[in-house]
Amino acid sequence: MTNIVLFGKPGAGKGTQAEVLKEKYDLIHLSTGDIFRFNMKNDTELGKLAKSYINKGDLVPDEVTINMLKSEVEKHTDANGFLFDGFPRTTPQAEALDAFLATKEWKVTATIALEADDEVLVQRLLERGKTSGRADDQDEAKIRNRYEEYNEKTAPLIDFYQGQGKFHSVNGIGEIEEVTSRLSEVIDQL
Ligand SMILES: Nc1ncnc2c1ncn2[C@@H]1O[C@H](COP(=O)(O)OP(=O)(O)O)[C@@H](O)[C@H]1O
């Protein structure tokens, strides 16, 4: 069982890399952002709730996110491992993930951060907003708010995973293939 947390600021390339890594390492890719967007598109109760937070650039409350994540993991208990993308994003989420995985005698194998400079990332998101239709990518104020959420709530997870000796980081700037090979170097040594 290999469980990898892909970590990084909005726009760092987690989703792009996850698409490649899930095939390469036969992992189930769980993106909380994608799951929320799927629910928003289908106008489910979860989608309606999430929308009010996401469209402002705020995080969705922990309880909602954690329950959703657990039910997604439960659908794949025969998996070779998971690639968590966009989760955990807060300390309570990270603690809940550890506790939940422990009930299955699993654990987080490693957390790998994609590092990139804020200004590069804001430009990437604005560019993505032109074609993605994502409301949270089209407005610089919403994007800045996501960075504030990241700095305040998500950045402390670096210490959390460093404390567990599981934190790795790679340079997220470069060609997609280049970044994939940096990530693979870390994964191959786990
Ligand atoms: N683990 C989470 N906890 C709370 N909210 C989340 C989580 N994952 C995603 N979201 C919500 O969905 C939005 C989009 O997520 P994602 O696609 O991962 O974004 P980004 O491109 O900003 O990294 C976030 O800004 C947040 O509102």
Side-chain angles (χ1 to χ4, degrees), residues 87-104:
F87 185 94
R89 256 181 161 95
T90 65
T91 304
Q93 289 180 14
E95 288 167 349
L97 180 63
D98 279 355
F100 175 61
L101 293 178
T103 65
K104 308 202 173 296

Side-chain angles (χ1 to χ4, degrees), residues 25-45:
Y25 295 98
D26 188 22
L27 302 173
I28 300 287
H29 173 209
L30 290 185
S31 158
T32 43
D34 285 351
I35 302 166
F36 284 132
R37 279 187 289 278
F38 176 82
N39 279 277
M40 282 158 60
K41 201 170 122 210
N42 292 288
D43 216 20
T44 66
E45 286 308 310

Side-chain angles (χ1 to χ4, degrees), residues 84-161:
F84 297 104
D85 160 9
F87 185 94
R89 256 181 161 95
T90 65
T91 304
Q93 289 180 14
E95 288 167 349
L97 180 63
D98 279 355
F100 175 61
L101 293 178
T103 65
K104 308 202 173 296
E105 296 180 13
W106 298 342
K107 56 186 173 51
V108 170
T109 313
T111 294
I112 315 176
L114 282 171
E115 303 283 356
D117 194 68
D118 281 12
E119 291 314 311
V120 176
L121 295 179
V122 172
Q123 288 315 313
R124 276 193 194 174
L125 291 182
L126 286 168
E127 207 47 50
R128 182 169 83 184
K130 289 182 191 164
T131 52
S132 70
R134 281 181 56 171
D136 60 343
D137 279 349
Q138 289 172 20
D139 174 346
E140 193 157 341
K142 288 175 188 169
I143 294 177
R144 299 274 171 204
N145 188 47
R146 278 150 71 198
Y147 283 91
E148 276 169 32
E149 289 279 77
Y150 174 89
N151 289 330
E152 188 189 324
K153 297 176 183 162
T154 309
L157 292 182
I158 298 172
D159 280 351
F160 179 94
Y161 286 116

